[in-house]
Amino acid sequence: DARVTQTPRDKVTEMGQEVTMRCQPILGHNTVFWYRQTMMQGLELLAYFRNRAPLDDSGMPKDRFSAEMPDATLATLKIQPSEPRDSAVYFCASGRGQGRDGYTFGSGTRLTVV
Amino acid sequence: GDSVTQMEGPVTLSEEAFLTINCTYTATGYPSLFWYVQYPGEGLQLLLKATKADDKGSNKGFEATYRKETTSFHLEKGSVQVSDSAVYFCALSDSGGGADGLTFGKGTHLIIQP
């Protein structure tokens, strides 16, 4: 089965450090999402791209978060500087078009900021 | 805006019991409806979907029927197994409402005891 690949699987970093998370969407999928999951807030949409163009990043704290898609096979989510409240599991998901058939999720990056 | 409401957990059942997890939604357009499952330490997996009224999605013994008149998409299984223990998310995709991505419920933690 085709998979969405996320790296790293786990990341522990100190407050103030830069963190970069990577996602390889499924080949042929033109829509890519970044979600964050915490116990308190559940699943939150951070940003998404269609055909590599950013369509919405209103869910992201823009002073420290940035999302890019340098090519069709790579999406990145960067946090600089990281803070303890950023500790969460970050998921990437990909799909075709506007999602009437759903999206495929990666296994996530578990981020711990100490 | 769009929203999904699902029963709070945890839901604890004995093996071979009948399962129902309730899900209702509000949407601006005509959404597609989904159930996702998340096993411990893993990402979300699409369990089943329905794209129009009266459609029944099914997979691995689970079923859900798209009820437009009651705006519901309840998940059912006739005989649960210990391996079904996971968190279940109801979600919708409402591109007709002008927003891409999935709107999730808060998730229902299901625990099956032997």
Side-chain angles (χ1 to χ4, degrees), chain B residues 48-112:
Chain B
L48 53 83
K49 68 181 181 185
T51 58
K52 62 182 188 297
D54 300 324
D55 269 2
K56 177 185 284 188
S58 61
N59 186 23
K60 299 181 181 179
F62 291 89
E63 294 182 340
T65 301
Y66 191 143
R67 300 290 188 197
K68 196 168 190 296
E69 64 277 13
T70 55
T71 61
S72 65
F73 193 55
H74 304 321
L75 183 69
E76 296 181 335
K77 187 174 184 183
S79 176
V80 292
Q81 306 300 313
V82 172
S83 58
D84 294 327
S85 298
V87 181
Y88 292 80
F89 293 90
C90 185
L92 66 83
S93 173
D94 185 17
S95 56
D100 288 326
L102 293 166
T103 300
F104 286 94
K106 291 189 180 298
T108 301
H109 187 192
L110 176 64
I111 301 169
I112 307 301

Short mmCIF file of all heavy atoms in Angstrom, two decimals, chain B residues 48-112:
data_model
loop_
_atom_site.label_atom_id
_atom_site.label_comp_id
_atom_site.label_asym_id
_atom_site.label_seq_id
_atom_site.Cartn_x
_atom_site.Cartn_y
_atom_site.Cartn_z
N LEU B 48 -13.76 3.70 7.12
CA LEU B 48 -14.82 3.61 6.12
C LEU B 48 -15.30 5.01 5.77
O LEU B 48 -15.00 5.97 6.49
CB LEU B 48 -15.97 2.73 6.61
CG LEU B 48 -16.61 3.04 7.96
CD1 LEU B 48 -17.65 4.14 7.83
CD2 LEU B 48 -17.26 1.79 8.55
N LYS B 49 -16.06 5.09 4.68
CA LYS B 49 -16.52 6.39 4.23
C LYS B 49 -17.86 6.26 3.54
O LYS B 49 -18.26 5.16 3.11
CB LYS B 49 -15.52 7.02 3.26
CG LYS B 49 -15.42 6.28 1.94
CD LYS B 49 -14.41 6.90 1.02
CE LYS B 49 -14.37 6.13 -0.31
NZ LYS B 49 -13.31 6.61 -1.20
N ALA B 50 -18.56 7.40 3.40
CA ALA B 50 -19.80 7.47 2.63
C ALA B 50 -19.88 8.87 2.04
O ALA B 50 -19.58 9.85 2.71
CB ALA B 50 -21.02 7.19 3.51
N THR B 51 -20.25 8.95 0.78
CA THR B 51 -20.20 10.23 0.10
C THR B 51 -21.57 10.82 -0.21
O THR B 51 -21.65 11.98 -0.62
CB THR B 51 -19.40 10.13 -1.20
OG1 THR B 51 -20.01 9.14 -2.03
CG2 THR B 51 -17.96 9.74 -0.92
N LYS B 52 -22.64 10.05 -0.04
CA LYS B 52 -23.96 10.63 -0.28
C LYS B 52 -24.99 9.96 0.61
O LYS B 52 -24.76 8.88 1.18
CB LYS B 52 -24.36 10.52 -1.74
CG LYS B 52 -24.48 9.12 -2.28
CD LYS B 52 -24.83 9.17 -3.76
CE LYS B 52 -25.15 7.80 -4.33
NZ LYS B 52 -24.03 6.88 -4.27
N ALA B 53 -26.13 10.60 0.72
CA ALA B 53 -27.19 10.14 1.62
C ALA B 53 -27.57 8.70 1.34
O ALA B 53 -27.66 8.28 0.18
CB ALA B 53 -28.40 11.06 1.50
N ASP B 54 -27.77 7.95 2.43
CA ASP B 54 -28.17 6.55 2.43
C ASP B 54 -27.06 5.59 2.02
O ASP B 54 -27.29 4.37 2.03
CB ASP B 54 -29.41 6.31 1.56
CG ASP B 54 -30.61 7.11 2.01
OD1 ASP B 54 -30.77 7.28 3.24
OD2 ASP B 54 -31.37 7.59 1.17
N ASP B 55 -25.90 6.10 1.67
CA ASP B 55 -24.75 5.22 1.44
C ASP B 55 -24.37 4.54 2.74
O ASP B 55 -24.43 5.14 3.81
CB ASP B 55 -23.53 6.04 0.96
CG ASP B 55 -23.46 6.15 -0.53
OD1 ASP B 55 -24.37 5.63 -1.22
OD2 ASP B 55 -22.50 6.77 -1.02
N LYS B 56 -23.94 3.29 2.63
CA LYS B 56 -23.41 2.58 3.80
C LYS B 56 -21.95 2.29 3.54
O LYS B 56 -21.61 1.62 2.55
CB LYS B 56 -24.18 1.28 4.04
CG LYS B 56 -23.62 0.46 5.21
CD LYS B 56 -24.33 -0.88 5.35
CE LYS B 56 -25.69 -0.73 5.96
NZ LYS B 56 -26.30 -2.04 6.29
N GLY B 57 -21.10 2.77 4.42
CA GLY B 57 -19.69 2.42 4.37
C GLY B 57 -19.45 1.21 5.26
O GLY B 57 -20.08 1.07 6.31
N SER B 58 -18.54 0.32 4.84
CA SER B 58 -18.26 -0.86 5.66
C SER B 58 -16.82 -1.31 5.47
O SER B 58 -16.24 -1.14 4.38
CB SER B 58 -19.23 -2.00 5.32
OG SER B 58 -19.07 -2.39 3.97
N ASN B 59 -16.25 -1.88 6.54
CA ASN B 59 -14.88 -2.37 6.49
C ASN B 59 -14.60 -3.11 7.78
O ASN B 59 -14.96 -2.63 8.87
CB ASN B 59 -13.90 -1.20 6.32
CG ASN B 59 -12.47 -1.68 6.11
OD1 ASN B 59 -12.23 -2.79 5.68
ND2 ASN B 59 -11.52 -0.82 6.40
N LYS B 60 -13.97 -4.25 7.70
CA LYS B 60 -13.53 -5.03 8.87
C LYS B 60 -14.68 -5.30 9.85
O LYS B 60 -14.46 -5.35 11.07
CB LYS B 60 -12.41 -4.29 9.61
CG LYS B 60 -11.16 -4.06 8.77
CD LYS B 60 -10.08 -3.34 9.57
CE LYS B 60 -8.87 -3.09 8.72
NZ LYS B 60 -7.81 -2.37 9.46
N GLY B 61 -15.89 -5.44 9.37
CA GLY B 61 -17.03 -5.72 10.22
C GLY B 61 -17.72 -4.49 10.76
O GLY B 61 -18.79 -4.58 11.37
N PHE B 62 -17.11 -3.31 10.55
CA PHE B 62 -17.72 -2.05 10.96
C PHE B 62 -18.61 -1.52 9.84
O PHE B 62 -18.32 -1.71 8.66
CB PHE B 62 -16.64 -1.01 11.27
CG PHE B 62 -15.83 -1.28 12.49
CD1 PHE B 62 -14.68 -2.04 12.42
CD2 PHE B 62 -16.22 -0.77 13.72
CE1 PHE B 62 -13.92 -2.30 13.55
CE2 PHE B 62 -15.46 -1.02 14.86
CZ PHE B 62 -14.31 -1.79 14.77
N GLU B 63 -19.68 -0.83 10.24
CA GLU B 63 -20.60 -0.22 9.27
C GLU B 63 -21.04 1.15 9.78
O GLU B 63 -21.12 1.36 11.00
CB GLU B 63 -21.86 -1.08 9.09
CG GLU B 63 -21.65 -2.42 8.46
CD GLU B 63 -22.97 -3.14 8.28
OE1 GLU B 63 -23.96 -2.79 8.96
OE2 GLU B 63 -23.02 -4.06 7.43
N ALA B 64 -21.37 2.04 8.83
CA ALA B 64 -21.99 3.31 9.18
C ALA B 64 -22.82 3.76 7.98
O ALA B 64 -22.37 3.62 6.84
CB ALA B 64 -20.96 4.36 9.53
N THR B 65 -24.00 4.30 8.24
CA THR B 65 -24.91 4.74 7.17
C THR B 65 -25.08 6.24 7.24
O THR B 65 -25.33 6.81 8.31
CB THR B 65 -26.27 4.05 7.29
OG1 THR B 65 -26.08 2.63 7.22
CG2 THR B 65 -27.20 4.50 6.17
N TYR B 66 -24.94 6.89 6.11
CA TYR B 66 -25.06 8.34 5.96
C TYR B 66 -26.55 8.68 6.03
O TYR B 66 -27.32 8.41 5.11
CB TYR B 66 -24.50 8.73 4.60
CG TYR B 66 -24.28 10.19 4.31
CD1 TYR B 66 -23.17 10.58 3.55
CD2 TYR B 66 -25.17 11.18 4.71
CE1 TYR B 66 -22.95 11.91 3.23
CE2 TYR B 66 -24.96 12.49 4.40
CZ TYR B 66 -23.85 12.86 3.65
OH TYR B 66 -23.64 14.18 3.32
N ARG B 67 -26.95 9.31 7.14
CA ARG B 67 -28.35 9.68 7.34
C ARG B 67 -28.47 11.19 7.25
O ARG B 67 -28.17 11.91 8.20
CB ARG B 67 -28.85 9.21 8.70
CG ARG B 67 -28.77 7.71 8.92
CD ARG B 67 -29.77 6.98 8.09
NE ARG B 67 -29.81 5.55 8.45
CZ ARG B 67 -30.35 4.61 7.68
NH1 ARG B 67 -30.86 4.94 6.49
NH2 ARG B 67 -30.36 3.36 8.08
N LYS B 68 -28.92 11.67 6.11
CA LYS B 68 -28.98 13.12 5.91
C LYS B 68 -30.11 13.72 6.75
O LYS B 68 -29.97 14.83 7.27
CB LYS B 68 -29.18 13.43 4.42
CG LYS B 68 -28.89 14.86 4.02
CD LYS B 68 -28.82 14.99 2.51
CE LYS B 68 -28.31 16.35 2.09
NZ LYS B 68 -29.21 17.44 2.48
N GLU B 69 -31.19 12.99 6.91
CA GLU B 69 -32.34 13.56 7.61
C GLU B 69 -32.05 13.79 9.09
O GLU B 69 -32.62 14.69 9.70
CB GLU B 69 -33.57 12.66 7.43
CG GLU B 69 -33.46 11.28 8.04
CD GLU B 69 -32.76 10.27 7.16
OE1 GLU B 69 -32.12 10.68 6.15
OE2 GLU B 69 -32.80 9.07 7.49
N THR B 70 -31.18 12.95 9.64
CA THR B 70 -30.82 13.12 11.06
C THR B 70 -29.39 13.63 11.22
O THR B 70 -28.90 13.74 12.35
CB THR B 70 -30.94 11.78 11.82
OG1 THR B 70 -30.15 10.78 11.15
CG2 THR B 70 -32.40 11.34 11.88
N THR B 71 -28.74 13.97 10.13
CA THR B 71 -27.32 14.41 10.10
C THR B 71 -26.47 13.54 11.02
O THR B 71 -25.77 14.03 11.92
CB THR B 71 -27.18 15.90 10.46
OG1 THR B 71 -27.66 16.15 11.80
CG2 THR B 71 -27.92 16.78 9.50
N SER B 72 -26.53 12.25 10.75
CA SER B 72 -25.80 11.32 11.60
C SER B 72 -25.02 10.31 10.77
O SER B 72 -25.33 10.07 9.60
CB SER B 72 -26.76 10.58 12.54
OG SER B 72 -27.65 9.76 11.79
N PHE B 73 -24.03 9.70 11.42
CA PHE B 73 -23.17 8.70 10.77
C PHE B 73 -22.64 7.79 11.87
O PHE B 73 -21.45 7.74 12.15
CB PHE B 73 -22.05 9.41 10.00
CG PHE B 73 -21.29 8.54 9.04
CD1 PHE B 73 -21.93 7.82 8.05
CD2 PHE B 73 -19.90 8.47 9.10
CE1 PHE B 73 -21.22 7.04 7.14
CE2 PHE B 73 -19.18 7.70 8.21
CZ PHE B 73 -19.84 6.99 7.23
N HIS B 74 -23.52 7.04 12.49
CA HIS B 74 -23.16 6.23 13.65
C HIS B 74 -22.38 4.99 13.22
O HIS B 74 -22.75 4.31 12.25
CB HIS B 74 -24.42 5.79 14.39
CG HIS B 74 -25.31 6.91 14.81
ND1 HIS B 74 -24.82 8.12 15.29
CD2 HIS B 74 -26.67 7.01 14.85
CE1 HIS B 74 -25.83 8.91 15.59
NE2 HIS B 74 -26.96 8.27 15.32
N LEU B 75 -21.34 4.67 13.99
CA LEU B 75 -20.49 3.51 13.71
C LEU B 75 -21.00 2.30 14.49
O LEU B 75 -21.28 2.42 15.70
CB LEU B 75 -19.05 3.81 14.11
CG LEU B 75 -18.03 2.71 13.83
CD1 LEU B 75 -17.81 2.55 12.33
CD2 LEU B 75 -16.68 3.05 14.50
N GLU B 76 -21.10 1.16 13.82
CA GLU B 76 -21.61 -0.05 14.47
C GLU B 76 -20.74 -1.24 14.11
O GLU B 76 -20.15 -1.31 13.03
CB GLU B 76 -23.06 -0.34 14.05
CG GLU B 76 -24.05 0.71 14.47
CD GLU B 76 -25.47 0.36 14.06
OE1 GLU B 76 -25.65 -0.39 13.10
OE2 GLU B 76 -26.41 0.86 14.71
N LYS B 77 -20.69 -2.18 15.06
CA LYS B 77 -20.07 -3.49 14.79
C LYS B 77 -20.80 -4.52 15.61
O LYS B 77 -21.06 -4.31 16.80
CB LYS B 77 -18.58 -3.49 15.11
CG LYS B 77 -17.90 -4.79 14.69
CD LYS B 77 -16.39 -4.74 14.88
CE LYS B 77 -15.77 -6.04 14.33
NZ LYS B 77 -14.30 -6.11 14.53
N GLY B 78 -21.09 -5.64 15.00
CA GLY B 78 -21.92 -6.64 15.66
C GLY B 78 -21.23 -7.40 16.78
O GLY B 78 -21.86 -7.79 17.76
N SER B 79 -19.91 -7.59 16.66
CA SER B 79 -19.21 -8.40 17.66
C SER B 79 -17.76 -7.91 17.73
O SER B 79 -16.97 -8.19 16.83
CB SER B 79 -19.25 -9.88 17.28
OG SER B 79 -18.49 -10.66 18.18
N VAL B 80 -17.45 -7.15 18.78
CA VAL B 80 -16.13 -6.53 18.84
C VAL B 80 -15.09 -7.51 19.39
O VAL B 80 -15.41 -8.45 20.12
CB VAL B 80 -16.15 -5.25 19.71
CG1 VAL B 80 -16.98 -4.17 19.02
CG2 VAL B 80 -16.68 -5.54 21.12
N GLN B 81 -13.85 -7.23 19.04
CA GLN B 81 -12.71 -8.02 19.49
C GLN B 81 -11.74 -7.14 20.27
O GLN B 81 -11.76 -5.91 20.11
CB GLN B 81 -12.00 -8.65 18.29
CG GLN B 81 -12.90 -9.45 17.38
CD GLN B 81 -13.57 -10.60 18.10
OE1 GLN B 81 -12.91 -11.35 18.81
NE2 GLN B 81 -14.88 -10.75 17.94
N VAL B 82 -10.89 -7.77 21.04
CA VAL B 82 -9.89 -7.02 21.81
C VAL B 82 -9.05 -6.14 20.88
O VAL B 82 -8.69 -5.01 21.21
CB VAL B 82 -9.00 -7.97 22.62
CG1 VAL B 82 -7.84 -7.21 23.26
CG2 VAL B 82 -9.82 -8.67 23.71
N SER B 83 -8.78 -6.65 19.69
CA SER B 83 -7.96 -5.91 18.72
C SER B 83 -8.65 -4.66 18.17
O SER B 83 -8.00 -3.85 17.50
CB SER B 83 -7.59 -6.83 17.55
OG SER B 83 -8.75 -7.34 16.93
N ASP B 84 -9.93 -4.48 18.47
CA ASP B 84 -10.63 -3.26 18.05
C ASP B 84 -10.39 -2.10 19.01
O ASP B 84 -10.84 -0.97 18.75
CB ASP B 84 -12.14 -3.53 17.96
CG ASP B 84 -12.50 -4.51 16.86
OD1 ASP B 84 -11.79 -4.51 15.82
OD2 ASP B 84 -13.47 -5.27 17.04
N SER B 85 -9.72 -2.35 20.10
CA SER B 85 -9.42 -1.29 21.07
C SER B 85 -8.56 -0.22 20.39
O SER B 85 -7.48 -0.51 19.87
CB SER B 85 -8.67 -1.86 22.28
OG SER B 85 -9.46 -2.83 22.96
N ALA B 86 -9.07 1.01 20.39
CA ALA B 86 -8.41 2.10 19.67
C ALA B 86 -9.23 3.37 19.93
O ALA B 86 -10.23 3.34 20.64
CB ALA B 86 -8.36 1.82 18.17
N VAL B 87 -8.80 4.46 19.31
CA VAL B 87 -9.58 5.70 19.33
C VAL B 87 -10.22 5.87 17.95
O VAL B 87 -9.53 5.74 16.93
CB VAL B 87 -8.72 6.92 19.67
CG1 VAL B 87 -9.58 8.19 19.70
CG2 VAL B 87 -8.04 6.73 21.02
N TYR B 88 -11.50 6.14 17.93
CA TYR B 88 -12.26 6.27 16.68
C TYR B 88 -12.70 7.72 16.49
O TYR B 88 -13.25 8.34 17.40
CB TYR B 88 -13.48 5.34 16.71
CG TYR B 88 -13.08 3.88 16.67
CD1 TYR B 88 -12.66 3.23 17.83
CD2 TYR B 88 -13.09 3.17 15.48
CE1 TYR B 88 -12.25 1.90 17.80
CE2 TYR B 88 -12.69 1.84 15.43
CZ TYR B 88 -12.27 1.22 16.60
OH TYR B 88 -11.87 -0.10 16.55
N PHE B 89 -12.44 8.23 15.30
CA PHE B 89 -12.75 9.62 14.98
C PHE B 89 -13.77 9.66 13.85
O PHE B 89 -13.56 9.05 12.79
CB PHE B 89 -11.51 10.39 14.52
CG PHE B 89 -10.48 10.61 15.58
CD1 PHE B 89 -9.46 9.69 15.78
CD2 PHE B 89 -10.52 11.74 16.38
CE1 PHE B 89 -8.50 9.89 16.75
CE2 PHE B 89 -9.56 11.95 17.35
CZ PHE B 89 -8.55 11.03 17.54
N CYS B 90 -14.84 10.40 14.06
CA CYS B 90 -15.78 10.72 13.00
C CYS B 90 -15.31 12.02 12.35
O CYS B 90 -14.82 12.93 13.04
CB CYS B 90 -17.17 10.88 13.59
SG CYS B 90 -18.49 11.13 12.40
N ALA B 91 -15.46 12.13 11.04
CA ALA B 91 -14.96 13.32 10.35
C ALA B 91 -15.80 13.60 9.12
O ALA B 91 -16.48 12.70 8.59
CB ALA B 91 -13.49 13.13 9.94
N LEU B 92 -15.75 14.83 8.67
CA LEU B 92 -16.42 15.19 7.43
C LEU B 92 -15.51 16.04 6.56
O LEU B 92 -14.60 16.71 7.05
CB LEU B 92 -17.73 15.91 7.70
CG LEU B 92 -17.74 17.30 8.35
CD1 LEU B 92 -17.51 18.41 7.33
CD2 LEU B 92 -19.09 17.55 9.03
N SER B 93 -15.77 15.98 5.27
CA SER B 93 -15.08 16.80 4.29
C SER B 93 -16.16 17.56 3.53
O SER B 93 -17.01 16.94 2.88
CB SER B 93 -14.26 15.95 3.34
OG SER B 93 -13.72 16.72 2.30
N ASP B 94 -16.12 18.88 3.62
CA ASP B 94 -17.21 19.70 3.10
C ASP B 94 -16.65 20.74 2.15
O ASP B 94 -16.64 21.93 2.46
CB ASP B 94 -17.97 20.37 4.25
CG ASP B 94 -19.18 21.14 3.79
OD1 ASP B 94 -19.64 20.92 2.64
OD2 ASP B 94 -19.68 21.98 4.56
N SER B 95 -16.16 20.31 1.01
CA SER B 95 -15.58 21.27 0.08
C SER B 95 -16.64 22.25 -0.43
O SER B 95 -16.33 23.38 -0.78
CB SER B 95 -14.95 20.53 -1.10
OG SER B 95 -15.89 19.69 -1.72
N GLY B 96 -17.89 21.83 -0.41
CA GLY B 96 -18.96 22.75 -0.83
C GLY B 96 -19.14 23.90 0.12
O GLY B 96 -19.74 24.92 -0.21
N GLY B 97 -18.63 23.74 1.33
CA GLY B 97 -18.71 24.81 2.31
C GLY B 97 -17.56 25.79 2.19
O GLY B 97 -17.44 26.71 2.99
N GLY B 98 -16.70 25.56 1.23
CA GLY B 98 -15.63 26.52 0.99
C GLY B 98 -14.35 26.24 1.74
O GLY B 98 -13.40 26.99 1.63
N ALA B 99 -14.31 25.15 2.49
CA ALA B 99 -13.10 24.86 3.24
C ALA B 99 -12.64 23.45 2.91
O ALA B 99 -13.44 22.53 2.84
CB ALA B 99 -13.37 24.98 4.74
N ASP B 100 -11.36 23.30 2.70
CA ASP B 100 -10.80 21.98 2.46
C ASP B 100 -10.39 21.33 3.77
O ASP B 100 -10.43 21.95 4.82
CB ASP B 100 -9.57 22.10 1.56
CG ASP B 100 -9.98 22.45 0.15
OD1 ASP B 100 -11.04 21.99 -0.30
OD2 ASP B 100 -9.23 23.18 -0.52
N GLY B 101 -10.01 20.09 3.66
CA GLY B 101 -9.56 19.40 4.84
C GLY B 101 -10.70 18.70 5.55
O GLY B 101 -11.86 18.74 5.11
N LEU B 102 -10.36 18.03 6.60
CA LEU B 102 -11.31 17.26 7.38
C LEU B 102 -11.63 17.99 8.67
O LEU B 102 -10.74 18.51 9.33
CB LEU B 102 -10.73 15.88 7.70
CG LEU B 102 -10.53 14.95 6.50
CD1 LEU B 102 -9.66 13.77 6.89
CD2 LEU B 102 -11.87 14.47 5.98
N THR B 103 -12.90 17.97 9.04
CA THR B 103 -13.32 18.42 10.36
C THR B 103 -13.56 17.18 11.20
O THR B 103 -14.35 16.31 10.82
CB THR B 103 -14.61 19.25 10.27
OG1 THR B 103 -14.38 20.38 9.45
CG2 THR B 103 -15.05 19.70 11.65
N PHE B 104 -12.86 17.09 12.31
CA PHE B 104 -12.90 15.89 13.16
C PHE B 104 -13.74 16.10 14.40
O PHE B 104 -13.79 17.20 14.96
CB PHE B 104 -11.49 15.52 13.62
CG PHE B 104 -10.63 14.90 12.55
CD1 PHE B 104 -9.77 15.69 11.80
CD2 PHE B 104 -10.66 13.54 12.31
CE1 PHE B 104 -8.97 15.12 10.83
CE2 PHE B 104 -9.86 12.97 11.34
CZ PHE B 104 -9.01 13.77 10.60
N GLY B 105 -14.34 15.02 14.86
CA GLY B 105 -14.84 14.98 16.21
C GLY B 105 -13.68 14.79 17.18
O GLY B 105 -12.52 14.63 16.76
N LYS B 106 -13.97 14.81 18.46
CA LYS B 106 -12.90 14.74 19.47
C LYS B 106 -12.36 13.34 19.69
O LYS B 106 -11.37 13.15 20.39
CB LYS B 106 -13.39 15.33 20.79
CG LYS B 106 -13.61 16.84 20.71
CD LYS B 106 -13.88 17.42 22.09
CE LYS B 106 -14.09 18.92 22.00
NZ LYS B 106 -12.91 19.63 21.49
N GLY B 107 -13.02 12.35 19.10
CA GLY B 107 -12.53 10.98 19.23
C GLY B 107 -13.20 10.25 20.38
O GLY B 107 -13.55 10.83 21.41
N THR B 108 -13.40 8.96 20.20
CA THR B 108 -13.98 8.08 21.22
C THR B 108 -13.01 6.95 21.47
O THR B 108 -12.67 6.20 20.55
CB THR B 108 -15.33 7.51 20.75
OG1 THR B 108 -16.23 8.57 20.48
CG2 THR B 108 -15.92 6.60 21.83
N HIS B 109 -12.54 6.87 22.72
CA HIS B 109 -11.61 5.81 23.08
C HIS B 109 -12.40 4.54 23.40
O HIS B 109 -13.23 4.54 24.31
CB HIS B 109 -10.78 6.24 24.29
CG HIS B 109 -9.69 5.29 24.65
ND1 HIS B 109 -8.99 5.38 25.84
CD2 HIS B 109 -9.16 4.23 23.99
CE1 HIS B 109 -8.08 4.41 25.88
NE2 HIS B 109 -8.17 3.71 24.77
N LEU B 110 -12.16 3.49 22.64
CA LEU B 110 -12.87 2.23 22.81
C LEU B 110 -11.93 1.21 23.46
O LEU B 110 -10.81 0.99 22.97
CB LEU B 110 -13.34 1.69 21.46
CG LEU B 110 -14.02 0.33 21.45
CD1 LEU B 110 -15.32 0.37 22.24
CD2 LEU B 110 -14.25 -0.15 20.02
N ILE B 111 -12.39 0.61 24.53
CA ILE B 111 -11.62 -0.41 25.24
C ILE B 111 -12.43 -1.70 25.24
O ILE B 111 -13.57 -1.70 25.72
CB ILE B 111 -11.32 0.01 26.69
CG1 ILE B 111 -10.53 1.32 26.71
CG2 ILE B 111 -10.55 -1.09 27.43
CD1 ILE B 111 -10.42 1.95 28.09
N ILE B 112 -11.87 -2.77 24.70
CA ILE B 112 -12.53 -4.06 24.66
C ILE B 112 -11.82 -4.99 25.62
O ILE B 112 -10.61 -5.23 25.49
CB ILE B 112 -12.54 -4.66 23.25
CG1 ILE B 112 -13.12 -3.67 22.25
CG2 ILE B 112 -13.33 -5.98 23.24
CD1 ILE B 112 -14.53 -3.22 22.54
#
